[in-house]
Amino acid sequence: MRLSKRIYALADAVNQGDSVADIGTDHGYVPMLLMRDGRSPRVIMSDISEGSLAKAKETFAASRLEDRVSGSDFRIGDGLRTIAAGEVDEIIIAGLGGHTIKNILADDEAKSKSFKRLILQPRKHSGTLRYYLYTHGWDIESESLAEEGKFACEIITAVPSGITSKELPYPEEDIRWKYPPSITEADPVLASNRIRWKTGSIREQIANMEKSGSSSKTIAALKKDLGYLMTLLSQ
């Protein structure tokens, strides 16, 4: 069974000895690694799709780990609704969009904060997710990047902060929510590739807008974003 670096990175992000619920588990690869390697004493696999849970069961059977889980560890349902408050130590939500992850957490914020730790891997709109975490009582504990095919996937771990109101460091639409200053610390090579792709995209936008005579204010904002990203590349 060949697994991507993203899958291994998600499993490695779990604290040794913590129980875990994997929301949107699909094939159940991360829970399988957690049980196989003895990192977690218990895993719960939850998915809105009955077919995905069937694949997760097949993963555990193929890995000869089916005796380590019970039927109640495979749950069909939406978001965190299949998990009781405080039932596990850590929640994994990976492979979904940032808006979707935000909505799952916001659906029942008291329940979301009943868990010690979140491991989040947004496929897109990571800036939206970071902004939500910052403004809704979470501290980002760590960030990393993991390769999967041609993509550099972001993995964000967060813990409840106990602080319900923080002064915003910059506006919601600011590019620094999506490309925080710390991104280059996670993995300099992957971060550089990710940032270079974005700078190329912004340059193309600017060129097209200048040709079409678009708003100078919009172009100036894009140039400001480009300048910020170039400072990240120079670090």
Side-chain angles (χ1 to χ4, degrees), residues 176-198:
R176 283 171 287 186
W177 291 112
K178 184 170 179 61
Y179 294 90
S182 60
I183 191 171
T184 56
E185 300 170 9
D187 185 308
V189 174
L190 289 181
S192 177
N193 291 340
R194 186 182 181 90
I195 294 168
R196 288 183 191 282
W197 176 87
K198 184 62 176 178

